[in-house]
Amino acid sequence: MQSQTSLTQIHMIVVMQKSATKEMVNHVVSIIEDHDLRADISYGEQRTAIGVVGDKGKLDEGNVTRLPGVKEILLISKPYKKVSREYKPENTVVKVGNVEFGSGTPVMIAGPCGVESEEQIMTIAKQVKELGANMLRGGAFKPRTSPYSFQGMGKEGIELLVKAREATGLPIISELVSVTDIDLFAEHVDMIQLGARNMQNFDLIKQAAKIGKPILLKRGLSAHVEEFLLAAEYILNEGNNNVVLCERGIRTFETSTRNILDLNSLALIKETSHLPIIADPSHAAGRYDLVAPLGYAALAAGADGLIVEVHNKPDEALSDGKQSLTPDTFGDMMKKLKEMSLLSP
Ligand code: PEP
Ligand code: MN
């Protein structure tokens, strides 16, 4: 009997060996049906294939692989659900105060890698606001590669960001690195950043999601698109749909820049997922002179915004000075984005 079921309902296809007997096929079918799933058999000239229809979680493909006569298993549907466009075709718009990600107007987040002093964050906040930034970034808890590097100002850094918000009206975003700081972030920040190094820290992700605040989820240094989307799926699965993804560069064989801004994945994710996605050209490039061109390219490729490191004294910065724009060069970048019609005037 030829199957009438559409491919989108089938999540697994069990391909039988050419030599598989009718008994072997029937055995596979009975195992599928024992798991409250439907088996759609397709008797081809070369081989028999069995489509598995129904709830994906009910049957582990690993168990089917071992049944007599089975050649291979083809997984059809993607492992993520709620982040996919199949689940929700229209773009998700994530609101942070009066800022909207995914509504068509790119969001510009700017600020230092780390909050270093009141004078520093206040100066930068006022300058980036003046130059057209929509949100202020600043790390207070810094996940540094070396334990001897500046680790951030901690709670005091968050309090200084709050002051900068009061002075400028810009919503604030900062990176959460530990569940112990959840209450502090719940009380003070407008958007929680989950960093590349924590993209698969699922407990942190779930606890952060439960607060219900918007989350910026950065792609892990070596994460596949599927792993990135599955990490976002954890947040949606906690009932929090306010997720913005961030392509921040990945590691490849190429070592001449800090990372590679993966615009392929950014464009692919825009197709595959309804969630907004922004780009971080600063961490991708690792050097200030490449930040602007990567930013232009990302917006041209469909990014919903950029997050850019800006420091008033990059040569004295306690972290990521090498890749930080000055307020002046950030201003040049904003001007050029408008000239290119990537930002509205
Ligand atoms: C940062 O934004 O300063 C940062 C540490 O980013 P990432 O997690 O992408 O490395
Ligand atoms: Mn940084």
Side-chain angles (χ1 to χ4, degrees):
M1 189 185 66
Q2 199 61 40
S3 164
Q4 295 300 309
T5 313
S6 84
L7 267 182
T8 52
Q9 291 172 281
I10 295 175
H11 66 263
M12 192 195 292
I13 293 178
V14 184
V15 181
M16 301 301 291
Q17 289 162 358
K18 212 172 162 185
S19 58
T21 62
K22 188 135 191 24
E23 285 68 38
M24 288 173 181
V25 173
N26 288 344
H27 181 55
V28 173
V29 169
S30 69
I31 296 285
I32 293 168
E33 289 175 351
D34 283 353
H35 286 79
D36 279 338
L37 296 160
R38 205 172 80 224
D40 272 42
I41 310 174
S42 161
Y43 297 105
E45 276 185 21
Q46 293 296 317
R47 51 175 206 188
T48 297
I50 307 165
V52 181
V53 184
D55 188 349
K56 235 181 108 198
K58 287 186 173 166
L59 180 60
D60 187 323
E61 74 264 21
N63 298 346
V64 187
T65 318
R66 302 179 66 96
L67 297 176
V70 172
K71 180 168 182 268
E72 62 179 333
I73 307 289
L74 304 176
L75 293 178
I76 299 299
S77 59
K78 302 191 178 80
Y80 45 83
K81 292 180 184 165
K82 294 176 183 171
V83 301
S84 74
R85 278 210 190 268
E86 283 136 35
Y87 186 76
K88 180 174 181 278
E90 66 280 3
N91 288 336
T92 286
V93 174
V94 174
K95 290 196 178 122
V96 183
N98 54 8
V99 174
E100 286 186 354
F101 292 85
S103 66
T105 309
V107 174
M108 297 296 291
I109 308 174
C113 178
V115 180
E116 298 170 7
S117 69
E118 178 162 351
E119 194 253 318
Q120 176 241 23
I121 192 66
M122 285 301 202
T123 308
I124 299 171
K126 286 176 190 161
Q127 285 176 314
V128 297
K129 156 94 184 193
E130 188 67 29
L131 294 164
N134 313 104
M135 277 182 70
L136 176 67
R137 64 151 289 151
F141 298 86
K142 294 304 304 172
R144 304 304 300 283
T145 302
S146 162
Y148 307 116
S149 302
F150 173 60
Q151 303 287 311
M153 292 182 78
K155 185 166 183 272
E156 202 188 338
I158 298 290
E159 287 161 358
L160 293 177
L161 280 172
V162 169
K163 277 196 179 177
R165 175 177 58 203
E166 281 163 8
T168 59
L170 293 177
I172 54 175
I173 174 167
S174 200
E175 180 173 353
L176 174 72
V177 296
S178 164
V179 286
T180 53
D181 301 315
I182 292 254
D183 291 345
L184 180 71
F185 278 66
E187 191 179 339
H188 296 301
V189 308
D190 300 298
M191 187 177 210
I192 294 172
Q193 178 174 322
L194 293 175
R197 288 155 197 80
N198 279 311
M199 193 209 79
Q200 286 188 316
N201 185 342
F202 300 121
D203 188 49
L204 181 68
I205 293 176
K206 285 192 281 186
Q207 299 304 327
K210 285 194 180 114
I211 303 175
K213 289 214 175 187
I215 291 181
L216 181 72
L217 178 69
K218 298 187 95 179
R219 183 179 181 183
L221 277 67
S222 304
H224 290 161
V225 166
E226 188 172 292
E227 292 165 332
F228 188 19
L229 292 176
L230 281 169
E233 185 88 12
Y234 268 93
I235 305 172
L236 271 66
N237 215 26
E238 292 296 329
N240 184 345
N241 298 331
N242 297 311
V243 182
V244 177
L245 302 168
C246 179
E247 164 55 43
R248 47 78 73 205
I250 51 166
R251 285 191 170 163
T252 72
F253 64 89
E254 178 57 77
T255 53
S256 54
T257 53
R258 184 173 180 180
N259 292 294
I260 301 294
L261 185 64
D262 184 3
L263 295 181
N264 296 29
S265 294
L266 187 142
L268 178 66
I269 288 170
K270 288 275 348 152
E271 273 190 27
T272 334
S273 174
H274 54 84
L275 295 175
I277 178 164
I278 67 168
D280 176 346
S282 307
H283 290 86
R287 41 188 277 183
Y288 70 90
D289 54 333
L290 302 182
V291 171
L294 295 187
Y296 308 149
L299 288 189
D304 295 295
L306 299 178
I307 180 165
V308 179
E309 288 185 337
V310 179
H311 201 290
N312 54 338
K313 295 176 189 159
D315 42 351
E316 292 173 22
L318 299 181
S319 61
D320 286 348
K322 200 173 152 205
Q323 68 197 31
S324 296
L325 297 183
T326 60
D328 276 354
T329 49
F330 176 67
D332 293 343
M333 178 181 180
M334 293 294 282
K335 191 162 162 268
K336 190 103 180 262
L337 284 170
K338 288 172 192 165
E339 282 167 15
M340 292 196 244
S341 302
L342 290 167
L343 273 186
S344 45

